Amino acid sequence: MNAWWLAHAGPTRLLVVAALLLVLLLCQRAWPTRGEAPARGRRWRNLGLAAVSTLLVTLILPLTAVAFAWQMTTRGVGLLAMVDMPAVLEFAVAIVVLDLAIYWQHRWFHVVPQLWRIHRVHHSDLQFEVTLGLRFHPAEIVLSMLYKFAVIAALGPSLAAVAVYEMLLAAFALLTHADVAIPHAWDRQLRRVLVTPDWHRVHHSVHRDETDSNYGNFLSLWDQLFRSRIEQPRDGHRGMQIGLPGFRAAQEQTLIALLRQPLADDPLLPANRQ
């Protein structure tokens, strides 16, 4: 089974992402919450940034998270390798702990000024729809991968757990950024455990207190547990403004500008907050 994951985890993840992206693009047209027409070239820029990030990560890091997990497993490294528990329970623990780790990674990218400069490329998008889930600076992807390597080494999860969580991470990045209207009664129940588009949209508000909330990727439990949740945006989901106040000009939304953005100062923030 480990051999199957090593050979097929990457292609399977790519297939899941491509299929889900197509489905959500169609769903956004049929059942939108905001229904904004995409700015000219915006989706292609987001896809282009994702392509650059993927290429650079492939060149810089020779191992995927699944391959790294295999190396750690064969060496018996990590906490779970030292604990005897049923495979199903070990799998579930690994998924939950990996998601907790990603919650804190996301939160640190907001708190540490140098990391925020990189992460704000994701937040400077002026619209909230599914391709925003692909808009991350290459430096953030590289740092995220190195962080995951450290978590995997400490935890010692199985290949299956890492592969499945990598797919969940990618799938929920698309799902939670999709401009898809979920009935309020369903959303109210789902968000008790899972991150929904309405839950995560608050995180992309121009208001800084709302931006610094709702960090969860897959499970909403962490925002509830660590008191970082905001249930609804103050301006309403249809009326709220998306993006960052200091990066709204058209020339700041080009692919080259997005790649350079971590080096640029935010004119609306004090130096110690950038």
Side-chain angles (χ1 to χ4, degrees):
M1 191 63 181
N2 284 338
W4 189 94
W5 283 117
L6 282 171
H8 297 95
T12 302
R13 182 174 180 269
L14 180 61
L15 181 62
V16 168
V17 168
L20 187 58
L21 178 62
L22 178 60
V23 169
L24 290 173
L25 284 169
L26 295 173
C27 289
Q28 287 182 158
R29 296 189 66 177
W31 305 289
T33 294
R34 291 166 61 90
E36 296 175 285
R40 184 178 179 181
R42 173 188 162 276
R43 285 175 174 167
W44 288 113
R45 286 192 295 273
N46 288 351
L47 290 169
L49 190 62
V52 172
S53 297
T54 301
L55 177 61
L56 288 179
V57 168
T58 303
L59 293 173
I60 294 171
L61 298 175
L63 293 177
T64 64
V66 174
F68 185 78
W70 168 243
Q71 292 200 357
M72 296 301 101
T73 299
T74 57
R75 291 172 171 82
V77 174
L79 181 62
L80 292 178
M82 305 174 191
V83 179
D84 186 21
M85 66 174 70
V88 173
L89 179 59
E90 182 178 325
F91 179 89
V93 168
I95 294 292
V96 171
V97 174
L98 287 169
D99 198 61
L100 174 60
I102 295 301
Y103 165 87
W104 280 108
Q105 174 196 297
H106 192 177
R107 191 161 179 171
W108 290 329
F109 266 98
H110 279 247
V111 172
V112 179
Q114 294 81 359
L115 296 179
W116 169 246
R117 279 177 169 266
I118 298 169
H119 183 59
R120 72 186 180 192
V121 171
H122 178 64
H123 279 270
S124 63
D125 201 338
L126 305 181
Q127 292 180 294
F128 185 94
E129 63 88 47
V130 65
T131 64
L132 176 52
L134 300 171
R135 175 175 162 142
F136 295 95
H137 194 275
E140 178 168 358
I141 301 299
V142 171
L143 290 173
S144 176
M145 186 63 75
L146 293 173
Y147 174 77
K148 277 189 281 190
F149 285 175
V151 172
I152 289 168
L155 182 62
S158 66
L159 268 71
V162 173
V164 169
Y165 187 72
E166 284 286 279
M167 281 186 271
L168 285 171
L169 189 65
F172 268 80
L174 298 178
L175 285 165
T176 58
H177 290 94
D179 182 36
V180 176
I182 297 176
H184 293 304
W186 293 10
D187 183 84
R188 188 167 57 251
Q189 296 304 317
L190 285 171
R191 65 169 52 199
R192 292 176 184 271
V193 178
L194 302 175
V195 176
T196 67
D198 277 6
W199 176 276
H200 190 69
R201 189 181 294 106
V202 178
H203 183 72
H204 285 269
S205 166
V206 293
H207 301 301
R208 190 66 201 223
D209 61 321
E210 294 181 348
T211 304
D212 293 339
S213 72
N214 297 14
Y215 298 107
N217 169 72
F218 166 40
L219 298 172
S220 64
L221 301 173
W222 311 125
D223 287 299
Q224 300 177 48
L225 180 62
F226 298 112
R227 299 184 179 183
S228 56
R229 70 176 179 180
I230 293 181
E231 291 285 346
Q232 300 294 337
R234 70 188 66 165
D235 300 322
H237 286 287
R238 289 181 176 82
M240 67 182 290
Q241 194 174 38
I242 303 295
L244 298 176
F247 294 94
R248 305 195 70 82
Q251 63 267 26
E252 292 161 346
Q253 296 296 322
T254 67
L255 180 57
I256 297 300
L258 295 178
L259 290 170
R260 292 176 176 171
Q261 193 187 109
L263 302 176
D265 290 332
D266 186 335
L268 301 182
L269 282 180
N272 63 356
R273 192 62 178 91
Q274 296 184 46

